[in-house]
Amino acid sequence: MIPLSNSALDAARREPHAFLTLAFRPFFLLGALWAALSIVLWVGSFVSGKPLPSAFDPLSWHIHSMLFGFVLAAIAGFLLTAMPNWTGRRPVRGAPLAGLAALWLIGRAAAVTSGLMPLALAAGLDVAFPATLCVVAAREIVVSRNWRNAAIPVPVAALGAGDLLMYLERAGIGVPAGLGWRLGLAAAIALISVVGGRIVPAFTRNWLAKRGRAPLPAAAGPVDRVALGVLHAGLVAWVAAPPKWPVGVLLLLAAALNLWRLARWCGLSTLREPLLFILHVGYAWVVVGTALLGASLVTIAVPLPAGIHALTAGAIGTMVLAVMTRVSLGHTGRPLTADGFTTLIYALVILAGVVRIGAALSPGSYLQLVELSAALWAASFAGFVARYGPMLVAPRADAR
């Protein structure tokens, strides 16, 4: 064996552990763990009637933990991993990445125990993560002059603002009821609609072209721009004025346009590869959730929670899991194909969304269906941790 030189040894010591080489590793693992744990904590509190030591009531804490905990972790993992490809700059890694992950963890601890400390302190500790993430993302774009992605930090900033608004509402500082979580949810769906419109047809086109199959997904054009414009306008209107029936009509139109958009991506041609087909399913949940949300503003026959949970448990849960599995496989040097276990956790998260909508539509079985949905959700993300966790903490498979 040839001994390493001093310079080589120094370089090896400076190289961070594999877990801190790219942001998807810590944030996908932490986000999935939190997705499973927080739902169990919430259901336990909900069923037992014993509140958590949080300043938020159990339902508000559940909403907060998912939108500003789980969703922000997934967004951080995806954006900070993708941005080097967009900007040509080195990724955030090592100590800075560990610091960001620590900020996220501090935020989660602060939100859970916010009832035991001054609310302003809890808010400051919690909002520090989205604020820092927004600054980091904006800096990368400005320094690289990557203006095509200049709008990407905006949903992160909106999520941070929504997080803060939930604390301000809890403190009784004149914030309209629910404004914070509505803003956070709208920002997450807007980001999915933009990023999904890039990656779903692109990955599908590459997969089909490699196999010599046609037709291929349509190129981005006026249909995409109109579908996104109407969807985003509908979401902004819903955040600002949720009870208005014209907002419902706008959201129903957005659902129809995004269904047209989705149909142009040739999703049924990808049925043989679950790793790809699940991305189409995730975007289909955006369509379903937008339609149900719009319908809930137009008719009392559709309860608001049906639309909310189609967008959260359905669209966000499915799309986040789809992206986490694909990125984890690709960036750890493994084949881009879903095995049987991965397909199982996809099925579990889809069922969790379906059952949770069923709970909203079936008052007589509400508690049982909520518990079942929570169990399916927790099993799905715990399954991700079990299957993908070892990949996330180990070096690339092709670098060993």
Side-chain angles (χ1 to χ4, degrees):
M1 180 181 294
I2 301 174
L4 293 173
S5 66
N6 288 337
S7 60
L9 285 170
D10 290 341
R13 292 190 188 102
R14 288 195 299 269
E15 185 68 16
H17 187 277
F19 188 56
L20 295 175
T21 53
L22 281 171
F24 78 92
R25 292 175 177 270
F27 281 112
F28 286 1
L29 184 58
L30 290 172
L33 282 167
W34 185 245
L37 175 61
S38 64
I39 200 75
V40 172
L41 288 174
W42 174 68
V43 169
S45 175
F46 180 69
V47 172
S48 68
K50 297 179 180 178
L52 296 166
S54 173
F56 296 110
D57 63 83
L59 179 58
S60 296
W61 180 82
H62 167 58
I63 294 169
H64 185 276
S65 69
M66 285 296 170
L67 283 176
F68 308 117
F70 162 62
V71 172
L72 266 172
I75 288 173
F78 174 78
L79 285 184
L80 295 179
T81 301
M83 289 193 78
N85 294 328
W86 300 342
T87 64
R89 289 172 52 79
R90 287 176 59 82
V92 177
R93 66 204 305 261
L97 179 56
L100 278 172
L103 272 183
W104 182 88
L105 285 167
I106 290 168
R108 306 289 54 73
V112 173
T113 61
S114 54
L116 306 177
M117 67 179 79
L119 194 61
L121 174 60
L125 293 173
D126 194 0
V127 176
F129 174 71
T132 304
L133 177 62
C134 186
V135 169
V136 170
R139 179 184 181 278
E140 293 299 299
I141 288 169
V142 171
V143 170
S144 66
R145 307 180 72 84
N146 182 246
W147 307 125
R148 178 175 183 263
N149 292 298
I152 290 296
V154 174
V156 179
L159 278 157
D163 191 356
L164 178 60
L165 285 169
M166 285 199 72
Y167 281 99
L168 292 176
E169 180 183 345
R170 177 64 185 83
I173 306 179
V175 175
L179 178 62
W181 68 260
R182 290 198 307 274
L183 178 59
L185 176 54
I189 296 302
L191 188 60
I192 286 175
S193 69
V194 172
V195 174
R198 293 185 185 183
I199 65 174
V200 179
F203 292 159
T204 302
R205 185 178 297 107
N206 293 342
W207 189 83
L208 291 173
K210 193 174 183 179
R211 286 155 183 78
R213 296 174 60 182
L216 300 178
V223 172
D224 301 88
R225 290 191 290 272
V226 172
L228 284 177
V230 176
L231 174 61
H232 296 171
L235 290 171
V236 169
W238 174 67
V239 170
K244 308 297 183 182
W245 70 263
V247 177
V249 173
L250 187 60
L251 288 168
L252 287 170
L253 176 59
L257 288 169
N258 278 274
L259 178 60
W260 183 14
R261 186 189 192 205
L262 175 63
R264 289 157 46 88
W265 295 345
C266 305
L268 292 178
S269 300
T270 68
L271 272 169
R272 293 176 58 186
E273 180 44 74
L275 191 73
L276 184 53
F277 183 65
I278 192 66
L279 291 168
H280 293 266
V281 175
Y283 204 90
W285 270 116
V286 173
V287 174
V288 172
T290 303
L292 288 174
L293 182 60
S296 73
L297 303 179
V298 173
T299 172
I300 61 172
V302 178
L304 176 63
I308 297 300
H309 287 97
L311 290 173
T312 52
I316 293 175
T318 303
M319 189 62 86
V320 165
L321 193 62
V323 170
M324 289 200 310
T325 50
R326 186 179 187 92
V327 170
S328 297
L329 289 171
H331 282 276
T332 59
R334 291 172 170 82
L336 287 174
T337 188
D339 59 13
F341 191 85
T342 299
T343 303
L344 173 62
I345 64 175
Y346 291 160
L348 290 173
V349 78
I350 292 169
L351 284 172
V354 171
V355 172
R356 188 60 186 84
I357 294 170
L361 297 172
S362 307
S365 305
Y366 177 78
L367 184 57
Q368 297 91 328
L369 291 176
V370 165
E371 291 175 340
L372 176 57
S373 175
L376 291 166
W377 174 278
S380 177
F381 284 94
F384 174 86
V385 172
R387 178 71 176 87
Y388 288 83
M391 301 180 197
L392 297 176
V393 299
R396 285 179 61 98
D398 53 6
R400 294 175 187 173

